[in-house]
Amino acid sequence: MSTQAANQSLSSTLLSGSMGIIVVLTLAALCIAPFEQHFFTGWVGIAFMCATPTQVILNLFWHNNLPKRIGDMPQPLKGICLTLITVAAGAFFTLLLSALVGQNYGDTPMFIQYTILTVVTVLWLIPIWHAWPFSLLSKNPVIIGLVTLVATYVLAYIVWFIFFDYSALAHIPTPNGEIVHPLYHPEIDPKGLFDSWVAMTFAVTTAGVIVIHSLFDFWPINKLSMGRPQPIRGLIGTIYVLLFAFIVRWFFTDFIGMEQVSYMIQVPVCMLFGAFLVNNMMQFSLFPNLKQPYRGFALLACAVIAGLVMYRLYSYAGYLFVGHELISGPAGGWELELWIATAMLGVTFPMVFLVSGFFDFWLLKKAK
């Protein structure tokens, strides 16, 4: 390809990607606007997160081409069908998990964090473990994907049950003495090994580390595993990601002293979101002439900028949508942080997959 043709192709990608980001933000705004603040950070976030593992399987594992009958459809019919599958799965898992995990207590902190953990889990199972060991059960990718989807919810429950403790919600300090969180129910508190926010912030950090390493095409993990198959690659990748996440979280929360929930939103969540904007929305086309790890560092710099910009944008959007300034930090129950997390990761993140994957920038880029 000539230099002129390459420049034209890059310009076309930047244009369609930028227009796609506008569409993503518009769709997200339409999903956010109708809902009151607490209902939005509760049930709306839960519904979106219950749909996200299905969307990840469709996008990252099946590459938006399976089931084959749907994959062969023209746009926009293909995008519509993939969206309907996601919505149906989201509704099904919301009802099922609300009864099985949430025990019909509603949008409790315990249930909300479990649904977040399902998204983290599927990001482990696909990029790091390549759906192993479920890939041993069949050669049919549809079956492997469905088994991996079910396993996502089971494994997330096991991790949630072992590591998450919500006892602090029964002893919330106030000037007038301790109170119990109105949505705390000891019956669904797994009383695991760590305080729930410690476990949650670490889990989300691992997801951020995984997605950031996609900018490097998992270059460090591939180098360390030296081309070995699963489960060796998965084990090496797991140790690497856990150590990397521990160091990142320690640096920001212990060394620098950031409040842990604020850290979770401003660092791993924003970085994760920025990475998807830089990679998916720019159609994996930025810096094509750079080799790894140099390309990864260039993409990382763009992701950092995108993440910081998006954090400022969503902080301002919170005021516009809610109608008053949201309080940041534990004194206000992390109103701002929880709203941004739900709006950015819960709602807008699926819209990135919708526009870039399901509809493949339909009407936004020239047909090949």
Side-chain angles (χ1 to χ4, degrees), residues 299-310:
L299 291 171
L300 178 61
C302 294
V304 169
I305 295 171
L308 292 173
V309 170
M310 287 296 110

Side-chain angles (χ1 to χ4, degrees), residues 297-341:
F297 284 117
L299 291 171
L300 178 61
C302 294
V304 169
I305 295 171
L308 292 173
V309 170
M310 287 296 110
Y311 178 79
R312 294 300 176 189
L313 176 64
Y314 277 77
S315 297
Y316 181 65
Y319 175 82
L320 293 180
F321 282 108
V322 176
H324 61 81
E325 187 174 352
L326 295 171
I327 302 173
S328 177
W334 298 289
E335 277 188 341
L336 177 63
E337 288 82 3
L338 295 180
W339 191 92
I340 292 176

Side-chain angles (χ1 to χ4, degrees), residues 57-58 61-75 77-79 81-82 85 140-143 146:
I57 295 293
L58 288 167
F61 191 63
W62 291 342
H63 306 292
N64 308 300
N65 291 320
L66 295 174
K68 191 176 186 306
R69 184 173 180 180
I70 294 175
D72 292 338
M73 291 179 177
Q75 295 290 6
L77 189 58
K78 175 182 177 180
C81 289
L82 291 174
I85 290 173
N140 186 334
V142 174
I143 294 175
L146 291 174

Side-chain angles (χ1 to χ4, degrees), residues 94-267:
T94 298
L95 293 173
L96 179 67
L97 298 173
S98 178
L100 295 181
V101 179
Q103 295 185 30
N104 294 318
Y105 279 111
D107 54 342
T108 64
M110 294 79 83
F111 184 43
I112 291 173
Q113 289 197 347
Y114 166 76
T115 61
I116 296 172
L117 196 60
T118 64
V119 179
V120 174
T121 303
V122 77
L123 289 175
W124 272 92
L125 290 178
I126 302 302
I128 300 299
W129 284 93
H130 298 164
W132 189 92
F134 315 112
S135 56
L136 301 177
L137 301 176
S138 173
K139 294 187 180 297
N140 186 334
V142 174
I143 294 175
I144 297 170
L146 291 174
V147 174
T148 303
L149 179 61
V150 174
T152 293
Y153 292 101
V154 175
L155 291 173
Y157 182 83
I158 293 172
V159 172
W160 178 75
F161 188 83
I162 293 173
F163 294 106
F164 284 67
D165 176 32
Y166 298 88
S167 300
L169 296 180
H171 307 282
I172 301 175
T174 71
N176 298 319
E178 292 185 347
I179 62 171
V180 178
H181 192 288
L183 294 177
Y184 175 70
H185 300 280
E187 299 90 339
I188 55 173
D189 181 357
K191 296 181 175 64
L193 297 175
F194 300 101
D195 173 77
S196 60
W197 277 121
V198 172
M200 189 80 267
T201 55
F202 181 75
V204 173
T205 302
T206 66
V209 168
I210 290 169
V211 173
I212 284 299
H213 276 73
S214 70
L215 302 177
F216 294 82
D217 299 319
F218 296 98
W219 172 80
I221 295 174
N222 294 334
K223 280 286 185 181
L224 290 170
S225 60
M226 297 182 290
R228 293 174 182 172
Q230 299 291 3
I232 302 301
R233 183 189 184 275
L235 290 171
I236 292 173
T238 296
I239 294 170
Y240 176 86
V241 170
L242 291 176
L243 286 175
F244 201 108
F246 177 84
I247 293 170
V248 169
R249 188 186 180 281
W250 170 84
F251 177 79
F252 283 98
T253 61
D254 294 327
F255 186 74
I256 292 181
M258 286 184 71
E259 194 280 321
Q260 62 179 346
V261 182
S262 298
Y263 149 77
M264 183 181 75
I265 307 307
Q266 294 182 47
V267 182

